[in-house]
Amino acid sequence: MEDGIRVGLLLVATPQLEDPNFKRSVVLLVEHDAEGGTLGVVLNRPTEVPVDRVLPPWAELVTGPSVVFQGGPVALDNALALARLPGEDEPLGWRALDGGSEVARVGLVDLDAPPALLAPELLQLRVFAGYAGWSAGQLHSEIEEGAWYLVPAEAGDVFAGDPDRLWQEVLRRQGGDLAFVSTFPDDPTLN
């Protein structure tokens, strides 16, 4: 059964999604197995915690803002990192997401590897605390219920300079009805 969900796509929360963990969130899908479930990282939740406080060796390689992002509500005490590299090689300490062409050179970083292994190759790097996870079939059900839009990602989404505007920007570039949704107020009762 093809559900349309695949690594490298974005989940964009619809205005109806009120769960505070995901309200107005943009999630990059990093793993998907129809039988095993789906993992993603929330791209637009910067914290106040500087990267050098939790991962000092990686701090100077991080793309600004140089803070840890909250990647989701699961395993907040664990860090993962995404990096974008040029070329076609797969250096030690980095694994491509194998997503669509727009995010083909974005991958997961082994934070236990020495940063010097990847430093010469890095174009961009971002660190996340935790991740978002769905059991088999759960995400598909949430999409069908209208909680998420499933849209193509661009490599720049992962490393957005202004993460607070990412939700609006991703929706706006979709055109049509989704561009209109990007103007939806935070609190429609104040409209």
Side-chain angles (χ1 to χ4, degrees):
M1 178 180 101
E2 175 61 40
D3 57 14
I5 300 168
R6 68 178 193 279
V7 170
L9 290 178
L10 293 176
L11 293 174
V12 181
T14 69
Q16 291 77 24
L17 184 56
E18 292 293 327
D19 178 338
N21 291 307
F22 295 112
K23 185 173 182 170
R24 293 207 173 209
S25 65
V26 177
V27 179
L28 176 69
L29 298 179
V30 297
E31 290 184 16
H32 176 67
D33 179 340
E35 306 299 316
T38 306
L39 296 177
V41 290
V42 178
L43 300 177
N44 59 336
R45 296 280 193 271
T47 69
E48 299 289 323
V49 179
V51 172
D52 64 3
R53 188 181 310 160
V54 291
L55 290 167
W58 292 94
E60 68 184 44
L61 301 175
V62 171
T63 303
S66 188
V67 297
V68 175
F69 280 64
Q70 184 172 332
V74 180
L76 292 173
D77 54 347
N78 291 322
L80 66 90
L82 292 171
R84 187 163 69 110
L85 304 180
E88 296 179 13
D89 293 338
E90 193 162 318
L92 288 174
W94 182 84
R95 178 177 55 91
L97 293 181
D98 296 325
S101 61
E102 288 296 326
V103 292
R105 297 305 297 163
V106 173
L108 291 163
V109 173
D110 177 357
L111 292 171
D112 291 328
L117 279 177
L118 287 175
E121 300 285 328
L122 282 177
L123 295 174
Q124 295 171 304
L125 174 79
R126 188 150 283 165
V127 175
F128 300 88
Y131 60 90
W134 295 265
S135 61
Q138 181 184 4
L139 181 56
H140 181 72
S141 295
E142 289 183 17
I143 293 169
E144 285 189 337
E145 292 167 3
W148 300 101
Y149 301 117
L150 192 60
V151 301
E154 295 180 1
D157 297 335
V158 179
F159 311 101
D162 186 1
D164 293 332
R165 301 229 5 102
L166 187 60
W167 186 83
Q168 289 90 354
E169 291 171 2
V170 168
L171 288 172
R172 189 170 297 124
R173 77 172 181 241
Q174 304 310 311
D177 290 343
L178 293 185
F180 180 70
V181 171
S182 75
T183 65
F184 199 84
D186 281 337
D187 184 352
T189 62
L190 300 176
N191 203 7

